[in-house]
Amino acid sequence: DSLKDLLLFQTSHEGKFSTLAEYVERMPDFQKKIYVAVGKDSAAIEQLPQMELLRERGLEVVYLTDPVDEFTIDVLRTYAEKDFQSITRENFELDDAESQKVKAEVEEIAKTHEDLLKDVKEAIGDAVKEVRLTSRLKSSAVCLVTGEGGPSLSMEKTFAAMNNPMFKATQILELNPNHAVFKKLESLYALGKDSQAFKDLCTTLYSLALLIEGVMPNNPADFAGKITSLL
C-alpha cells in the first residue's frame, strides 16, 4: 500500500508509462473502474479482440506485461476507490449508454439462440464452462474470457511454467452475433447439430480463441486439418 503511488505501468495512452494516479486523472466521468489487460507484451495486448472496442471508445487500458503485475493488481484490488477490471474477465462491460444499449440487443439475440449455444458447448466439451454471445467484440468472431474468482489464462500459464499445473482458469467462449462466422454457424446448425461440419466449426472456433490468447490447441495437427478443410 505504501508503494502503490510509485508503480509505473505501460498503458494504451500513447504507449507511455504512467502512474495509477495519472491514469485515474484521465478517466472520463462515466468510467467507474480501472481497465487492465494481461499479455506477454504491449503488442500482444493490443492485438486482443477485446481491445478494439476500448480503442473505439477512446478508453485507456493498463498493460500488465510482467507475471508479477497481475498478482500485484489482485492484492491491491482498488486504487483511489476504483476497482480494477480485467477486460478479459466474464463480467467486463462498459458503463456508457451506447454500450449498455448494444448489450441489451445482444441479450435479446441470445434468448432466441439458447439451443444453439448449448449445442456449441456440447460440441466443444468440458474445456469451456459456457458458450455465450457477447457485445464486447467488433470485427473479431470469437474470444475467450475467464470466470470471476479464479486464475486468468495468463496466470494459469505462469503456474504451469513453474511446474504447478493445479491452477486452471475457468474458460468461457464468447461469440460475436454480428460476425459472418456466426451466420455460418447458424446455417450449419440448421442442417443438424450432429453434422460433422457444425461440430468442426465449433471446435475450430474454440481453437482460434485459444491461439488469440497465445495457447496452443491440444491437437495442432487436427486443428490444421480442419482449417484446411474449411478453406
Side-chain angles (χ1 to χ4, degrees):
D1 190 62
S2 301
L3 297 174
K4 63 185 179 182
D5 290 323
L6 300 178
L7 296 173
L8 289 171
F9 297 95
Q10 190 174 5
T11 80
S12 58
H13 179 69
E14 300 177 350
K16 296 180 178 179
F17 281 82
S18 174
T19 65
L20 293 172
E22 290 169 334
Y23 176 98
V24 169
E25 186 177 351
R26 291 192 291 264
M27 288 172 57
D29 292 338
F30 71 83
Q31 185 179 339
K32 307 303 180 186
K33 297 181 180 181
I34 299 172
Y35 301 135
V36 302
V38 182
K40 65 177 183 178
D41 53 38
S42 59
I45 294 174
E46 287 162 8
Q47 293 301 314
L48 289 173
Q50 295 93 332
M51 283 291 296
E52 190 174 359
L53 179 62
L54 285 105
R55 277 195 296 268
E56 182 184 86
R57 297 285 197 274
L59 296 171
E60 186 176 359
V61 179
V62 175
Y63 295 166
L64 308 180
T65 56
D66 190 295
V68 76
D69 289 346
E70 190 174 5
F71 293 98
T72 302
I73 294 301
D74 283 349
V75 170
L76 283 177
R77 294 187 178 274
T78 65
Y79 181 84
E81 299 182 349
K82 298 184 184 299
D83 293 335
F84 292 100
Q85 174 64 65
S86 170
I87 67 171
T88 58
R89 289 286 187 177
E90 65 173 316
N91 68 343
F92 169 76
E93 60 181 51
L94 297 181
D95 302 314
D96 62 296
E98 182 180 353
S99 296
Q100 292 300 311
K101 177 184 176 183
V102 174
K103 179 189 174 187
E105 292 171 352
V106 170
E107 287 175 347
E108 286 300 313
I109 297 173
K111 290 177 182 178
T112 63
H113 289 77
E114 290 180 354
D115 289 340
L116 168 62
L117 297 174
K118 176 176 68 68
D119 289 327
V120 173
K121 161 70 174 73
E122 185 177 326
I124 296 171
D126 294 335
V128 296
K129 173 189 174 184
E130 180 186 354
V131 176
R132 66 187 189 185
L133 301 186
T134 184
S135 60
R136 77 175 88 199
L137 297 177
K138 298 296 290 182
S139 63
S140 298
V142 65
C143 72
L144 271 180
V145 299
T146 50
E148 293 301 314
S152 67
L153 282 169
S154 177
M155 197 176 291
E156 178 184 318
K157 288 187 289 184
T158 298
F159 280 115
M162 297 165 59
N163 294 319
N164 188 352
M166 293 177 60
F167 292 88
K168 292 290 186 181
T170 300
Q171 299 180 18
I172 297 169
L173 184 68
E174 293 195 339
L175 306 175
N176 182 353
N178 299 311
H179 197 281
V181 169
F182 185 73
K183 309 304 179 188
K184 179 69 173 179
L185 193 65
E186 286 181 300
S187 65
L188 291 177
Y189 186 64
L191 299 176
K193 68 175 184 178
D194 294 323
S195 72
Q196 194 60 47
F198 173 73
K199 292 179 179 179
D200 284 349
L201 183 53
C202 294
T203 55
T204 299
L205 287 173
Y206 173 59
S207 295
L208 288 172
L210 284 174
L211 286 173
I212 291 170
E213 292 292 333
V215 178
M216 183 66 70
N218 288 333
N219 191 335
D222 180 67
F223 171 67
K226 289 175 180 175
I227 289 291
T228 303
S229 178
L230 287 170
L231 291 174

